[in-house]
């Protein structure tokens, strides 16, 4: 919540086999009845159990631990379920 507003955040990652990626964050402001969507394009490099993600417009990659469990992606300790 923020100032009494209930906010639901949905984060979606897309990874291509050509090292391209994007992170889409959808924030739903329940009381106000609207959504805000932010898409950030990126590239990635996997090294062992880590992935370095470089967002467009940045020169510094962000590194996350990466693993898979029961078909789900574990990225930086957060579980993401595959769709599509």
């Amino acid at each position: 919540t923020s100032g009494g507003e209930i906010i639901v955040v949905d984060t979606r990652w897309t990874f291509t086999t050509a090292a391209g990626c994007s992170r889409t964050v959808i924030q739903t402001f329940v009381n106000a009845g609207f959504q805000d969507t932010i898409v950030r394009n990126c590239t990635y490099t996997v090294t062992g159990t880590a992935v370095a993600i470089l967002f467009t417009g940045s020169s510094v990659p962000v590194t996350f631990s990466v693993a898979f469990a029961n078909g789900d992606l574990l990225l930086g300790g957060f579980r993401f379920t595959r769709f599509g």
Side-chain angles (χ1 to χ4, degrees), residues 37-74:
T37 301
I38 299 168
V39 178
R40 294 194 64 195
N41 292 320
C42 51
T43 58
Y44 70 95
T45 305
V46 178
T47 307
T49 60
V51 61
I53 296 176
L54 182 63
F55 289 100
T56 301
S58 176
S59 60
V60 180
V62 181
T63 302
F64 298 99
S65 61
V66 65
F68 293 92
N70 298 320
D72 290 345
L73 169 66
L74 302 177

